[in-house]
Amino acid sequence: MTARLTAPIVALAAAAALDAADGGAQGRGERDEPAAAQVEERRVQVSPPRLNLRREDVDLENRTVRWTISRKAMRGAIDVRGLRGDLMYSREIDFGGARAGTRLEATWPAQSEQIGRIEVTTWDEHDASVTFRISPFRIEIPHENVVFETGRWEIRESERHKLDAAWALIAQAMEDYGNLLQANLYVAGFTDTVGQPRDNQTLSENRATAIARYFAEKGMTFPIHARGFGERCLAQPTEDGVDCEANRRAAYVLAVDPPVMCPEAGEGGWRRVR
């Protein structure tokens, strides 16, 4: 998500200049009428309000976003746009001068087409504004998981056909959407609970990186990121030390913003491979 700061306001200040009277008028204690007021345009820069928006404040499933700003909130607007930038939904919001730090909220209805971008703008009491954007575009590529040797991350020759099949789907998706959105490929790795958590974390990172590098060598021109999650966020919950094939998996996601693959791990930690 990105925030765009906009619109310093311009104020006008008027200053009247009085001409001094001549000596005779001064001697009589009289003054000439003031000359016409000279109006000076003075530009006053009013910085935009500060925005406070956290990832957990964005609830795409329930189509709600919440945030605060550092000044009174007077009004707002939400625009929902499609993949080609076409306006799908727009609404103005009256915040009624809510005091600084008040939790503000915007919602939008379900859309029949995929959303490319959500823009929310808030104006303060000076009519200065701050805008943030959310790009919910996300496609998870279906694939057959690569089977690695125990404790290793080298991709065996016998497993490459699985990645080649996934590559064809990724390339097609980028052909369909790549000219509309600046999407990235995110490769996530997961393990089961056999072994020590620290070792599993390292193993998942190395396997995700190996897959990401394989895709990079296929000639991709868009950014590729990798991240390992170890035994966190199991697909099939198990006790510690359980050998479970469903948990030894990877995910290939095309998205504009870094995807949250494991809520407890957040959105950070992705490492760019290409």
Side-chain angles (χ1 to χ4, degrees):
M1 90 188 49
T2 57
R4 178 171 57 88
L5 305 182
T6 60
I9 65 173
V10 177
L12 297 178
L18 299 180
D19 290 336
D22 60 26
Q26 289 176 348
R28 297 190 300 271
E30 298 174 357
R31 301 179 64 87
D32 292 338
E33 291 295 321
Q38 298 176 351
V39 179
E40 175 190 356
E41 181 178 322
R42 183 179 304 160
R43 291 184 177 271
V44 180
Q45 297 294 329
V46 177
S47 62
R50 293 190 305 275
L51 171 71
N52 180 17
L53 175 68
R54 302 166 301 178
R55 171 59 64 177
E56 55 265 34
D57 295 330
V58 180
D59 186 349
L60 295 176
E61 182 177 355
N62 293 306
R63 302 183 300 280
T64 303
V65 61
R66 300 177 179 88
W67 72 100
T68 68
I69 65 170
S70 60
R71 299 199 191 113
K72 287 184 179 180
M74 305 306 295
R75 58 191 173 93
I78 178 171
D79 290 340
V80 178
R81 297 185 178 276
L83 296 179
R84 291 176 172 79
D86 51 308
L87 186 62
M88 301 167 64
Y89 174 78
S90 182
R91 181 169 67 92
E92 294 186 356
I93 309 169
D94 182 7
F95 292 127
R99 65 184 181 181
T102 299
R103 300 291 285 170
L104 309 173
E105 180 179 293
T107 61
W108 60 94
Q111 302 296 313
S112 58
E113 299 179 12
Q114 186 157 3
I115 295 174
R117 186 172 70 250
I118 300 167
E119 298 179 349
V120 180
T121 302
T122 313
W123 285 267
D124 65 13
E125 68 268 37
H126 304 295
D127 209 35
S129 67
V130 60
T131 297
F132 62 86
R133 296 187 179 94
I134 306 164
S135 297
F137 172 81
R138 168 174 166 165
I139 296 178
E140 188 159 347
I141 304 298
H143 63 278
E144 187 179 359
N145 279 312
V146 173
V147 177
F148 293 90
E149 293 183 18
T150 301
R152 303 187 67 83
W153 49 86
E154 295 84 5
I155 298 172
R156 294 178 292 177
E157 185 68 33
S158 61
E159 297 296 304
R160 296 192 173 196
H161 71 282
K162 299 176 181 178
L163 294 178
D164 292 340
W167 153 255
L169 296 178
I170 294 169
Q172 183 60 55
M174 288 303 296
E175 182 177 341
D176 293 340
Y177 301 105
N179 62 331
L180 304 175
L181 298 165
Q182 294 181 343
N184 300 266
L185 175 64
Y186 296 88
V187 179
F190 302 84
T191 70
D192 59 23
T193 59
V194 175
Q196 296 299 314
R198 179 179 298 181
D199 294 337
N200 284 334
Q201 179 63 35
T202 300
L203 186 63
S204 67
E205 291 172 359
N206 289 336
R207 287 177 174 177
T209 299
I211 293 173
R213 286 177 176 165
Y214 185 90
F215 288 142
E217 291 171 0
K218 302 288 285 185
M220 289 184 174
T221 59
F222 45 86
I224 305 174
H225 308 262
R227 185 181 179 187
F229 294 89
E231 56 186 69
R232 291 181 292 180
C233 296
L234 300 173
Q236 180 66 49
T238 68
E239 298 293 332
D240 190 36
V242 175
D243 183 341
C244 179
E245 182 178 356
N247 289 328
R248 298 191 299 272
R249 69 194 195 281
Y252 315 149
V253 178
L254 287 173
V256 175
D257 295 331
V260 177
M261 305 299 299
C262 180
E264 66 185 59
E267 66 173 359
W270 293 97
R271 186 171 62 87
R272 182 162 176 170
V273 174
R274 187 207 161 279

